[in-house]
Amino acid sequence: MAELSTKIKLYVNADIDFKSDVILKDEGQGAYIDEWNLDTAQPTQSQLDALETQADDYEFNLGQIAKRKDEYGTAESQMENIIENGLEAEQTRIQSIKDKYPKR
């Protein structure tokens, strides 16, 4: 189940400051919108529920991107691989990492 903050980001289609734009609270029964300080109309629960699949995919992809970055290594190590083994070898290595951690 996707985070409420992710659904809100997708609803607004922008980055949100959750300290001033939208204040979320969770008193043990799940997060909810406590304050809405945006010009965009506050979403209904059904509008947020409609974003569940999209938000799940978004969060999944963020995880896959983080795993890819870890395996890519530093820019320096990538350049070293290109210099030692050629660009095609590095492109093949990168593609194998993308295949290992596919996005939705």
Side-chain angles (χ1 to χ4, degrees):
M1 182 162 206
E3 298 286 327
L4 176 58
S5 58
T6 301
K7 293 178 192 177
I8 291 169
K9 286 178 192 177
L10 293 173
Y11 173 78
V12 176
N13 196 26
D15 285 329
I16 303 295
D17 182 342
F18 286 99
K19 293 182 180 180
S20 61
D21 295 336
V22 177
I23 310 292
L24 302 179
K25 281 198 176 173
D26 188 341
E27 297 168 345
Q29 297 178 341
Y32 64 92
I33 299 169
D34 187 51
E35 287 184 39
W36 187 267
N37 301 312
L38 298 172
D39 292 335
T40 306
Q42 182 172 331
T44 63
Q45 188 60 49
S46 62
Q47 287 173 312
L48 292 172
D49 291 345
L51 294 168
E52 183 69 36
T53 300
Q54 186 180 354
D56 280 337
D57 288 348
Y58 178 84
E59 290 175 356
F60 176 83
N61 289 342
L62 288 177
Q64 296 297 82
I65 290 167
K67 291 174 189 174
R68 287 179 180 186
K69 285 182 178 181
D70 284 345
E71 281 204 37
Y72 290 161
T74 64
E76 291 83 7
S77 68
Q78 291 179 41
M79 285 301 296
E80 184 177 320
N81 191 37
I82 291 169
I83 291 167
E84 291 177 2
N85 302 305
L87 179 59
E88 192 171 303
E90 180 63 9
Q91 288 172 324
T92 300
R93 187 183 77 82
I94 293 295
Q95 188 58 54
S96 71
I97 293 168
K98 287 182 176 183
D99 293 342
K100 184 177 178 181
Y101 301 110
K103 295 191 293 184
R104 293 184 194 160

